[in-house]
Amino acid sequence: MAIPVRKCDAALGAEIVVDLSRAIDDRTFTELEGIFHDNIVVFFRDQHLTNEQHIAFSRRLGELEIHIVKKYLLPEDPEILLVSNIKNDAGEHIGLADAGFTWHSDTSYRKNPSRCSLLYAKEVPHRDGKPLGDTVFANCIAAYEALPDAMKRRLAGTKAIHRYSMRRRVDNSPRPKLTAAQLAETPDIAHPIVRSHPYTGRKALYVTAGECIGIVLRDGEQMPEDEALDMIAELDAHCVRPEFCYRHSWRIGDLVMWDNASAMHLAICDYTLPERRLMHRTTVIGPEPI
Ligand SMILES: [Fe+2]
């Protein structure tokens, strides 16, 4: 029997009606993966998952990343990263508080960036009965396909340089400053601006203004910085045009899974304490982009 799927009225995104706390056989899982690749962002509502179930389902998609900011990992389950604005008794955030306030693709600063992320909503902030803290996703396959042919030719063989510490430069970032050891662990990395999806082969733009600091041309030379930053900003703005986007409004119990090889995303930080947001994230490692 086919898995029930409700496609969003957008360029990406679909709800899948499956209880992830139940055993999922290999055939069903393969079907789920196909739906995921077709829709780029999928979500499962009303889930009641233990940490173990969240981790076990994520592991079926690949090896899990242990995030570089260790203080926000669950001590007993370090595969789970807390994304939260909640503070402990000492007044310190218990998780990554900004949730990603620039457009990005998770762990694009890694040699082997994330295949996908799975974010599970434990607490969702509300105001006047409306949920806050939406996440917006952009379909980077559709964005690539919509580029003029001249731009596609120009981008072929080029790479963008991704830098993890880029977002930390924003003055008001609530994220902790990186230590020298963390900086050493995340050197700048160049990935193709147009990458082929590791499972479907479809081409997608893989460049974000929030993470990229330069462009390497086909001949190995670096594009002049001003020109590169302009092009990165232009491509970023192109990707996030409304017709390529889906905005997810969260409910407690949502598990949202997105494809980092073909989408970028943005957290809408429109809430503040005492409006509490608590999410559990697992991150699946992917192959090196080609
Ligand atoms: Fe993110």
Side-chain angles (χ1 to χ4, degrees):
M1 196 177 85
I3 298 170
V5 178
R6 298 176 188 135
K7 279 181 170 284
C8 300
D9 184 18
L12 69 170
E15 179 182 359
I16 302 180
V17 185
V18 165
D19 179 351
L20 297 175
S21 70
R22 298 187 170 215
I24 295 171
D25 61 41
D26 287 347
R27 199 171 131 189
T28 306
F29 185 79
T30 301
E31 193 180 341
L32 280 178
E33 268 192 310
I35 297 166
F36 175 50
H37 291 148
D38 285 347
N39 292 282
I40 301 174
V41 176
V42 295
F43 54 93
F44 306 83
R45 299 277 199 198
D46 305 316
Q47 300 296 313
H48 299 279
L49 301 177
T50 63
N51 294 339
E52 292 72 25
Q53 287 167 334
H54 182 181
I55 291 168
F57 179 69
S58 305
R59 271 217 180 100
R60 291 181 77 170
L61 294 148
E63 184 188 347
L64 300 187
E65 168 108 10
I66 305 295
H67 198 271
I68 188 166
V69 184
K70 305 284 186 271
K71 68 188 283 194
Y72 298 143
L73 304 177
L74 277 184
E76 64 281 18
D77 293 304
E79 298 86 353
I80 291 183
L81 170 73
L82 295 187
V83 178
S84 182
N85 68 330
I86 299 170
K87 292 181 177 175
N88 60 19
D89 292 343
E92 295 170 346
H93 285 118
I94 64 166
L96 282 182
D98 70 42
F101 62 86
T102 60
W103 283 96
H104 65 283
S105 173
D106 288 334
T107 71
S108 71
Y109 53 86
R110 292 285 199 194
K111 185 164 184 280
N112 288 73
S114 169
R115 171 188 180 187
C116 58
S117 304
L118 298 93
L119 196 61
Y120 181 42
K122 308 283 278 188
E123 294 188 52
V124 176
H126 282 75
R127 194 180 304 152
D128 301 328
K130 291 196 180 125
L132 303 167
D134 292 357
T135 306
V136 192
F137 299 92
N139 181 338
C140 298
I141 293 175
Y144 172 75
E145 289 172 353
L147 285 175
D149 287 344
M151 180 59 99
K152 287 180 183 167
R153 283 193 295 274
R154 194 170 169 204
L155 294 176
T158 61
K159 293 183 173 183
I161 302 168
H162 297 245
R163 175 173 290 175
Y164 178 63
S165 56
M166 181 71 173
R167 276 190 278 158
R168 266 85 264 119
R169 291 179 178 183
V170 177
D171 289 341
N172 62 355
S173 170
R175 292 198 184 198
K177 294 260 180 292
L178 291 183
T179 63
Q182 286 170 327
L183 283 170
E185 202 189 316
T186 55
D188 292 350
I189 184 94
H191 292 309
I193 289 180
V194 180
R195 66 176 293 188
S196 296
H197 192 277
Y199 294 88
T200 66
R202 296 183 75 185
K203 288 183 176 177
L205 281 171
Y206 194 61
V207 56
T208 69
E211 304 277 353
C212 296
I213 52 111
I215 290 178
V216 181
L217 297 167
R218 210 170 295 139
D219 60 7
E221 291 291 310
Q222 258 189 253
M223 186 183 276
E225 188 179 14
D226 286 359
E227 199 184 325
L229 293 178
D230 284 351
M231 178 169 273
I232 289 166
E234 181 187 337
L235 293 170
D236 182 290
H238 170 77
C239 279
V240 305
R241 278 163 40 186
E243 64 265 36
F244 303 136
C245 288
Y246 162 67
R247 180 165 175 151
H248 187 77
S249 188
W250 290 88
R251 290 192 217 156
I252 291 175
D254 281 0
L255 185 130
V256 178
M257 170 172 151
W258 61 88
D259 185 335
N260 283 306
S262 54
M264 54 181 181
H265 58 282
L266 172 73
I268 305 296
C269 300
D270 56 355
Y271 53 92
T272 186
L273 288 173
E275 296 156 340
R276 291 161 56 105
R277 190 175 193 263
L278 174 60
M279 304 279 180
H280 281 190
R281 184 179 112 185
T282 53
T283 312
V284 181
I285 299 171
E288 193 174 346
I290 53 170

